Amino acid sequence: MIHLIEDQTAMFKEAGSAPARVETQLDLNQNSLHRLGQRLRQNCPKFVMICARGSSSHAGIYARYMIETRLGIPVLPVAPSLSSIFAVKQDLDGVLFLAISQSGQSPDILSAAQAAKNGGAFVVAIVNDEHSPLAQLAEMVVPLHAELETSVAATKTFICTLSAIAQMVAEWAQLDSLTTGLHSLPGQLEGAFDMTWDEAVEALKETQSLFTISRGLGLCIAKEAALKFKETCCLHAEAFSAAEVRHGPIALVKDNFPVIIFSTGDETQASIDAVTQSVTSRSTKIFVTGRADKGARLLSTVSSEVPELRPILAIQSFYRFINALSLSRGLNPDAPDHLKKITETL
């Protein structure tokens, strides 16, 4: 049985440091991302390919929705095994290849990035380690500036990845409202981390399975939350789009089956509301962020006037919650069984 106090874990401390790291990142990356935005406008890519694993792949979902909805450019997820196992060669002239990695060391991501570069793509690495093999391979690096992260479960690096993507898209698409919103993000993240979801900790302490649901920009944090339930709480969690969950999985929501719903307050909210109304008629363990809904329990977080930033604030509140939930289940969120910080796959 683990007897750590909530604020003694590395996960708590690292998530709590995210506001300062984001503030530093936004300042240090401003000039380079301004130049990147200019280059991408002058040489607009035919499409974008995103290559990532784990939490970084969830950030890639955020990047996909940001680029497709704000710039109208198609985005494709990359299967790293195409190069690392199948040795497929592709003509990628005029393509932007985004490689997202905290460590920049995984062999399959490196193989995919090298193959993309050989195929003519413009390779940009979003990475925490500026001296990593991936950073050295890329034609341009977007550093996370998150500093060393020791907890196996990523927190501040994930948040810094989302903020780096938001700043990149703001510069590329020249979105003044998003740029202005980013100035307020560090302070808002501090407020979001002050939020405690004690009711959810108590309600889910003995839970063995649940769903996380969102849509659009929020889908990335539904995926990230489900991973954190598995990593830190040994709890089976599946993430679904508010549209996809209605194609079968929603049948499991009965007899107080828990669901956590991340509201976005944007164009996808109507479909999220429809799912919320459906599941609250079947279970009393329905939790929602962002807005109160009859029959659901509200998880407080900080909102933003800028829709693109709401998922970043919601996941910051979630990180404090999942740390507390892990401890309540007698686990150590910093050192999940059978996992290590850097995962190298081929």
Side-chain angles (χ1 to χ4, degrees):
M1 179 70 70
I2 301 299
H3 296 289
L4 291 171
I5 298 173
E6 180 186 8
D7 61 3
Q8 290 180 335
T9 69
M11 185 178 188
F12 182 95
K13 294 172 183 176
E14 288 170 351
S17 72
R21 302 320 314 152
V22 168
E23 184 173 28
T24 297
Q25 176 202 83
L26 294 173
D27 180 51
L28 294 181
N29 287 354
Q30 183 176 358
N31 291 335
S32 61
L33 285 178
H34 180 71
R35 291 193 299 273
L36 176 61
Q38 287 181 320
R39 173 169 177 168
L40 293 174
R41 287 194 302 275
Q42 292 167 1
N43 300 282
C44 186
K46 295 182 294 188
F47 58 89
V48 179
M49 299 178 74
I50 295 179
C51 187
R53 293 286 194 196
S55 289
S56 294
S57 72
H58 304 152
I61 295 172
Y62 181 76
R64 177 183 181 180
Y65 278 102
M66 287 285 280
I67 293 168
E68 291 192 333
T69 60
R70 275 52 182 175
L71 288 149
I73 298 173
V75 178
L76 306 176
V78 174
S81 61
L82 286 178
S83 58
S84 64
I85 294 177
F86 296 103
V88 174
K89 295 182 179 180
Q90 296 175 302
D91 179 2
L92 300 180
D93 185 48
V95 171
L96 170 62
F97 187 95
L98 280 182
I100 306 174
S101 173
Q102 295 159 29
S103 70
Q105 296 182 35
S106 188
D108 55 354
I109 304 299
L110 290 168
S111 175
Q114 184 63 64
K117 188 174 182 179
N118 293 343
F122 173 42
V123 177
V124 174
I126 301 177
V127 65
N128 196 37
D129 185 352
E130 296 179 65
H131 304 290
S132 65
L134 180 61
Q136 294 173 23
L137 183 158
E139 295 172 74
M140 182 164 183
V141 177
V142 180
L144 296 183
H145 297 293
E147 295 188 337
L148 180 66
E149 187 173 61
T150 59
S151 179
V152 170
T155 54
K156 63 177 180 176
T157 51
F158 180 74
I159 288 174
C160 284
T161 305
L162 298 188
S163 60
I165 291 166
Q167 189 178 26
M168 180 187 75
V169 172
E171 291 289 349
W172 184 0
Q174 297 183 299
L175 299 174
D176 292 341
S177 61
L178 179 53
T179 298
T180 300
L182 283 166
H183 293 322
S184 302
L185 183 60
Q188 291 174 326
L189 283 167
E190 288 184 1
F193 197 65
D194 287 338
M195 301 293 180
T196 57
W197 297 354
D198 295 339
E199 183 181 3
V201 171
E202 186 61 32
L204 301 178
K205 188 161 55 175
E206 305 297 330
T207 291
Q208 296 305 311
S209 187
L210 58 77
F211 286 169
T212 60
I213 296 173
S214 191
R215 196 170 183 186
L217 291 170
L219 184 59
C220 73
I221 61 169
K223 295 275 189 182
E224 172 67 4
L227 176 61
K228 288 299 182 284
F229 276 117
K230 297 182 185 84
E231 281 183 320
T232 68
C233 297
C234 292
L235 191 166
H236 176 252
E238 287 192 81
F240 291 100
S241 156
E244 193 64 34
V245 73
R246 302 178 77 172
H247 289 265
I250 200 169
L252 291 176
V253 183
K254 56 187 176 182
D255 301 327
N256 294 325
F257 184 93
V259 180
I260 294 183
I261 299 171
F262 294 97
S263 292
T264 54
D266 60 12
E267 295 90 337
T268 66
Q269 190 61 50
S271 64
I272 293 173
D273 288 343
V275 169
T276 303
Q277 292 165 14
S278 177
V279 296
T280 52
S281 67
R282 305 162 182 238
S283 172
T284 61
K285 289 187 177 180
I286 308 300
F287 298 88
V288 297
T289 69
R291 55 192 284 165
D293 199 292
K294 186 177 180 180
R297 310 185 208 183
L298 180 65
L299 299 173
S300 298
T301 189
V302 173
S303 187
S304 171
E305 293 296 320
V306 183
E308 296 93 334
L309 302 181
R310 292 170 191 159
I312 306 178
L313 296 169
I315 202 64
Q316 174 73 327
S317 298
F318 173 85
Y319 283 149
R320 178 165 184 165
F321 151 76
I322 201 68
N323 178 73
L325 180 64
S326 177
L327 293 173
S328 77
R329 293 165 71 92
L331 301 170
N332 181 356
D334 293 336
D337 289 343
H338 313 299
L339 297 176
K340 58 183 181 179
K341 184 60 183 173
I342 298 176
T343 303
E344 296 184 359
T345 52
L346 185 64

